[in-house]
């Protein structure tokens, strides 16, 4: 039979198979995230991978790149408009509102991990299916909670052994400050309207803040002269930001204030931040980002309640770990590889193998009728600590031969002693 691969049978662009051998790294970084979250009392929530499209339109924002250009949207068989989630916050906030968790004692601290979907131009660290680890804390306006969230992310990077992660922080002010600033910004850009890029023009009345992080050279120059939001902050907004920065100082979190940081999602108020690290070969230096969103819960039909959180891109975390050559734990080898010789030993070996596994030992055997030498090779390949050899003679006497592969030391023991013997070696 000729094996042909049509492109339809290949993996979709921008997605990845995470293969055995790689998946151990994923399990390790996921495990670390769980450990850190438990230290800070964040609890896992799992929401669906798709939601009604409207949720993201209203939450993430109509005029954002994510909603305008990057969503995987389709009509389902019941004629509903559905989108694969491009990010985690909207779904988690929906759940908080829908399950009326706002009625319980606050704050509510949740975390999540899983695949997200954005139709982007794929490259290293920019995928169409990617994975985020995120946290969201609801129900408290305290700036110290912003600091906790930022510090939690840094603690995570530190626990992984990732170095030189920087935090850029900014404040977008509260709704009042932002509205005032918005007017000023529109007035300023209107004066330069003919020189703005087409994209900036289209954003002028929908989302003028986004013009500040435009990639177009001329627009960037114009944006550099734009009024600063910091000059338009009201007292509350200024005080909130100052406290966040003071807390970060106290916690020793190295940050820089970046007045141009606006982020690509509409829901932020007050604090916005990004974690960055150099990843050679990858254009995207942001391994995570987040901020406070004090209007979102209300916008989704809940009470007026604040929230703050972040999302960290796990593909980028792994790229950064690789670039810094951080040793991640590799797959653990076997406790025992069972070699059998002869028909009867082959069959009885099944029982011996099962006994080891039931006792909590990692054990494997040959299923391809290999010769003894080849079975030893397999034991090496699978990094077995010991090899147990069951031949016709041993079987007759209810014994088994055990060899430690590191030292070559070999003993013959009673078959029913096998588990205890291997356990005392490990
Ligand atoms: P975001 O900045 O859109 O924020 O994404 C967070 C992180 O996800 C990015 O910093 C990046 O590491 C990763 N990421 C985004 N797009 C891709 C992609 N195409 N391929 C690989 N990695 C990617 C959010 O998603 C907000 N929900 C964060 C948040 C939570 N804010 C408050 N709470």
């Amino acid at each position: 039979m000729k094996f042909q691969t049509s492109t339809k049978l290949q993996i979709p662009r921008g997605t990845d198979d995470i293969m055995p051998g790689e998946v151990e790294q994923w399990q390790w970084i996921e495990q670390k995230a769980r450990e850190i979250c438990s230290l800070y009392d964040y609890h896992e929530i799992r929401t669906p991978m798709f939601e009604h499209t409207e949720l993201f339109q209203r939450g993430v924002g109509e005029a954002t790149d994510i909603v305008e250009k990057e969503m995987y949207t389709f009509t389902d068989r019941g004629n509903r408009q559905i989108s694969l989630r491009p990010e985690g916050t909207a779904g988690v906030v929906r759940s908080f509102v829908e399950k009326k968790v706002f009625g319980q004692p606050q704050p509510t601290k949740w975390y999540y991990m899983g695949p997200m979907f954005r139709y982007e131009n794929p490259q290293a660290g920019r995928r169409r299916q990617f994975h985020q680890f995120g946290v969201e804390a609801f129900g408290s306006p305290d700036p110290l909670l912003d600091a906790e969230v930022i510090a939690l992310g840094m603690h995570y990077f530190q626990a992984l052994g990732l170095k030189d992660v920087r935090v850029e922080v900014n404040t977008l002010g509260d709704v009042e400050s932002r509205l005032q600033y918005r007017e000023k910004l529109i007035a300023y850009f209107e004066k330069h309207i003919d020189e703005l890029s087409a994209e900036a023009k289209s954003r002028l009345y929908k989302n003028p803040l986004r013009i500040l992080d435009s990639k177009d050279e001329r627009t960037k120059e114009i944006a550099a002269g734009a009024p600063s939001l910091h000059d338009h902050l009201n007292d509350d907004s200024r005080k909130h930001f100052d406290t966040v920065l003071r807390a970060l100082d106290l916690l020793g979190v190295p940050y820089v204030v970046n007045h141009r940081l606006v982020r690509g999602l509409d829901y932020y108020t007050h604090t916005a931040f990004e974690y960055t690290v150099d990843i050679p070969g990858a254009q995207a230096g942001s391994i995570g980002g987040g901020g406070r969103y004090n209007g979102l819960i209300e916008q989704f039909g809940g009470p007026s309640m604040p929230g703050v959180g972040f999302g960290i891109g796990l593909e980028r975390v792994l790229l950064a770990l690789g670039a810094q050559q951080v040793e991640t734990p590799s797959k653990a080898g076997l406790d025992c590889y069972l070699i059998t010789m002869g028909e009867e030993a082959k069959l009885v070996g099944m029982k011996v193998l099962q006994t080891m596994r039931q006792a909590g030992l990692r054990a494997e055997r040959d299923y391809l009728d290999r010769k003894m030498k080849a079975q030893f090779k397999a034991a090496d390949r699978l990094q077995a600590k010991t090899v147990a050899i069951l031949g016709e003679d041993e079987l007759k006497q209810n014994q088994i031969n055990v060899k430690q592969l590191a030292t070559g030391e070999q003993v013959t023991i009673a078959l029913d002693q096998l588990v205890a013997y291997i356990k005392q070696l490990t």
Side-chain angles (χ1 to χ4, degrees), residues 87-122:
E87 59 100 55
T89 312
V92 170
V93 171
R94 176 202 48 70
S95 175
F96 180 79
V97 172
E98 197 169 341
K99 297 284 159 34
K100 299 195 168 49
V101 186
F102 51 76
Q104 296 172 17
Q106 299 302 327
T108 299
K109 305 207 287 185
W110 285 345
Y111 76 89
Y112 52 89
M113 263 181 271
M116 311 286 161
F117 308 85
R118 294 184 194 177
Y119 193 84
E120 295 202 71
N121 247 342

Side-chain angles (χ1 to χ4, degrees), residues 244-371:
V244 174
L245 298 186
R246 282 182 63 195
L248 292 179
D249 284 332
L250 195 70
L251 297 176
V253 172
Y255 65 85
V256 286
V257 175
N258 174 1
H259 291 329
R260 301 267 157 222
L261 183 75
V262 294
R263 310 226 347 101
L265 305 94
D266 269 0
Y267 45 64
Y268 295 110
T269 54
H270 292 289
T271 319
F273 61 92
E274 254 170 35
Y275 301 108
T276 56
V277 69
D278 293 329
I279 309 175
Q283 276 181 17
S286 156
I287 47 172
R292 183 168 270 287
Y293 44 87
N294 285 356
L296 196 57
I297 294 174
E298 195 174 5
Q299 207 178 317
F300 283 178
S304 165
M305 243 194 198
V308 54
F310 67 59
I312 287 176
L314 294 182
E315 278 76 6
R316 294 186 191 174
V317 167
L318 283 173
L319 280 177
L321 287 171
Q324 294 187 10
Q325 293 173 337
V326 176
E327 290 267 337
T328 53
S330 55
K331 201 172 83 180
L334 295 176
D335 293 313
C336 182
Y337 189 87
L338 177 71
I339 292 180
T340 63
M341 282 173 307
E343 278 307 305
E344 187 60 16
K346 181 178 167 190
L347 185 66
V348 176
M350 214 52 219
K351 175 89 193 302
V352 176
L353 189 69
Q354 191 69 2
T355 307
M356 286 196 277
R357 290 169 170 173
Q358 294 275 10
L361 294 173
R362 274 162 307 177
E364 179 57 307
R365 70 167 303 168
D366 168 69
Y367 285 109
L368 291 168
D369 278 330
R370 289 191 177 98
K371 300 256 178 337

Side-chain angles (χ1 to χ4, degrees), residues 21 54-55 74 116 134 164 170 178 214 220 261 302 339 347 369 407:
E54 200 183 323
L55 184 83
F74 58 95
M116 311 286 161
D164 302 325
N170 192 18
R178 249 177 103 160
S214 164
K220 263 201 236 174
L261 183 75
I339 292 180
L347 185 66
D369 278 330
T407 59

